[in-house]
Structures are given as structure tokens and as C-alpha cells.
């Protein structure tokens, strides 16, 4: 393509507009796939049950997504005030996996069982609570407010993931309360939907971490504030 062709293409499709369109295509594609998966497990819950068992594909994907999100957050967002992001993701990943699904004496059983023992210690729980609550107050709340004002894509994905987690929890509660009134097929359907939504929650958290968490104003550097160093400055 010649320089003239590139210049004309830039006029017809500005870079920002093209990027925005590409993002919308990606979001729409992911949403369509998620709807198809939910529809499939709803229509064929018995067949989907094998994927949603303890230690099955969906639970493994949930744990893997949260584990990767935790490692990515620790690398991308250093500092004590942002440590809670990776910490919460790693704790959620540990919660997804149960030591009992592995044979006694195996390495996964030993690792998960030992981790459960450590996390049950009062001192460890207090330390984790201080880190998480302190991080939410010092970093999470200001960043969330900034993300709302900027309509940050990561925050929209984060909120959607949270909604999925709430819906999954509601399905679990409804299934437990009305278990005696539900048919066996309906109980299976509720279970696979719950597990599938939890998997989508984990993937959504990973996507939110990878998309990016904006810095609060207190973390802006002089370099960030200098218009010469901002590509979108006018």
C-alpha cells in the first residue's frame, strides 16, 4: 500500500474509530459465545454434567483463569496498596479446587490440603483481611470511581463478572431451598448453569485484569501529567 493509500485509509477509518470497532467486535463475539454455551448447557444439562463435576473441565478452567489473573495482577500492579488484587484472585483460585478430588498422598492433594491448613490460621486470616480491606480503601475505591467517570472498559467487564457471580449464587440458593420441589433434571440444570456462570466469572476477572486498571490521581507522575508524553494530548 502506498503512502497515499494509507493516508486516504486513515481519513476514511480514523485509528480510534477502527480500534473501537474492533473492540466491539471482540466483545460481541465473546458475548455470543457465552450465550451459546449457556444455551447448550441449559438444553443438554445431563451431557454437560461431565464438564461441571468437581475437578472437571469448567472448574479447572475457572481455577486456571483466576490463578493466571492473580499472577498477572501481581506483575502488572506492584505495590502494597494494590497487592490485594492479585491476592484475592489467588484466594478465589484456591477456593475453586478441592483437595478431596485428588488421591491422598498425591502432590495436588498435599499442596491444597497444606494451603487450606495455613489459610485456617487466625493470624493469616487477619493479615489477609488487613491487606485486602486496606487495598480496597486506598486503591480500589478511588480507582473504581475514576473508572466510572472514564467509562473504563475493564470496569464494565469487572461489573459484568460480578453480576454473573451473583446470579450463580442465587441459582445455588434457589436450588437448595426448593430442592424437594424440583425434578432431578431441573436440579442438574441449575447445577450446570451455576458452574458455567462461575467459569464465566473467572474468565471475566482475568479479562478485567489484563485490560488494565487505571491509576488514581495520587499515583500520577510528572511524566504522566506532561502533555508532551501523552499520545492523546491535543
Amino acid at each position: 500500500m502506498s503512502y497515499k493509500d494509507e493516508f486516504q485509509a486513515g481519513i476514511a477509518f480514523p485509528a480510534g474509530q477502527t480500534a473501537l470497532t474492533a473492540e466491539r467486535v471482540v466483545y460481541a463475539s465473546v458475548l455470543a459465545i457465552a450465550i451459546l454455551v449457556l444455551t447448550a448447557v441449559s438444553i443438554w444439562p445431563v451431557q454437560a454434567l461431565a464438564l461441571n463435576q468437581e475437578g472437571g473441565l469448567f472448574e479447572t478452567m475457572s481455577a486456571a483463569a483466576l490463578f493466571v489473573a492473580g499472577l498477572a495482577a501481581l506483575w502488572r500492579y506492584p505495590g502494597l496498596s494494590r497487592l490485594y488484587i492479585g491476592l484475592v484472585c489467588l484466594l478465589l483460585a484456591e477456593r475453586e479446587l478441592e483437595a478431596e478430588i485428588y488421591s491422598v498422598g498425591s502432590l495436588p492433594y498435599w499442596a491444597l490440603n497444606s494451603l487450606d491448613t495455613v489459610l485456617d490460621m487466625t493470624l493469616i486470616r487477619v493479615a489477609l483481611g488487613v491487606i485486602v480491606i486496606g487495598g480496597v480503601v486506598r486503591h480500589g475505591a478511588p480507582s473504581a470511581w475514576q473508572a466510572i467517570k472514564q467509562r473504563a472498559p475493564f470496569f464494565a467487564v469487572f461489573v459484568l463478572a460480578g453480576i454473573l457471580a451473583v446470579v450463580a449464587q442465587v441459582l445455588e440458593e434457589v436450588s437448595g431451598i426448593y430442592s424437594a420441589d424440583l425434578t432431578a433434571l431441573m436440579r442438574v440444570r441449575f447445577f450446570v448453569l451455576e458452574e458455567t456462570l462461575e467459569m464465566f466469572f473467572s474468565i471475566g476477572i482475568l479479562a478485567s485484569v489484563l485490560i488494565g486498571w487505571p491509576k488514581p490521581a495520587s499515583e500520577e507522575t510528572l511524566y504522566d501529567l506532561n502533555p508532551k508524553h501523552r499520545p492523546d494530548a491535543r
Side-chain angles (χ1 to χ4, degrees):
M1 180 182 289
S2 66
Y3 174 80
K4 180 179 178 181
D5 293 334
E6 293 178 354
F7 179 76
Q8 290 175 343
I11 295 177
F13 304 100
Q17 182 178 345
T18 304
L20 183 60
T21 302
E23 287 181 0
R24 288 181 177 177
V25 170
V26 172
Y27 293 151
S29 300
V30 171
L31 183 60
I33 293 172
I35 292 174
L36 287 175
V37 172
L38 286 173
T39 302
V41 299
S42 299
I43 296 175
W44 300 289
V46 177
Q47 289 79 359
L49 187 60
L51 302 175
N52 290 274
Q53 294 289 358
E54 293 291 336
L57 177 62
F58 282 14
E59 187 176 78
T60 302
M61 289 180 63
S62 296
L66 290 169
F67 182 73
V68 174
L71 295 181
L74 292 176
W75 179 70
R76 295 193 64 183
Y77 314 124
L80 184 59
S81 65
R82 295 185 288 184
L83 178 61
Y84 74 100
I85 304 174
L87 189 60
V88 169
C89 291
L90 292 176
L91 289 174
L92 289 174
E94 192 273 339
R95 175 182 173 274
E96 281 294 315
L97 296 176
E98 300 290 342
E100 288 72 17
I101 66 177
Y102 300 100
S103 58
V104 178
S106 65
L107 180 59
Y109 178 88
W110 176 83
L112 291 172
N113 193 49
S114 300
L115 190 55
D116 287 338
T117 302
V118 171
L119 293 177
D120 280 339
M121 297 173 61
T122 302
L123 183 61
I124 298 298
R125 290 188 174 188
V126 171
L128 293 175
V130 170
I131 293 174
V132 172
I133 295 174
V136 170
V137 172
R138 294 188 57 189
H139 174 266
S143 295
W145 178 242
Q146 182 183 0
I148 292 173
K149 292 191 295 183
Q150 296 178 355
R151 298 180 181 179
F154 96 93
F155 194 69
V157 176
F158 176 78
V159 171
L160 180 58
I163 292 173
L164 295 178
V166 171
V167 174
Q169 187 62 38
V170 170
L171 289 177
E172 183 180 6
E173 294 296 329
V174 171
S175 178
I177 294 173
Y178 300 101
S179 178
D181 300 324
L182 297 174
T183 64
L185 181 61
M186 185 59 67
R187 287 196 296 270
V188 171
R189 181 173 285 115
F190 271 55
F191 174 76
V192 298
L193 283 173
E194 173 204 340
E195 293 295 325
T196 304
L197 289 173
E198 288 183 354
M199 180 187 66
F200 288 154
F201 160 76
S202 303
I203 295 173
I205 293 299
L206 173 59
S208 178
V209 169
L210 295 180
I211 290 172
W213 195 289
K215 294 181 180 178
S218 60
E219 295 183 11
E220 295 283 357
T221 63
L222 292 177
Y223 184 90
D224 297 326
L225 297 175
N226 190 339
K228 295 180 180 179
H229 300 146
R230 290 159 51 197
D232 58 343
R234 294 290 187 267

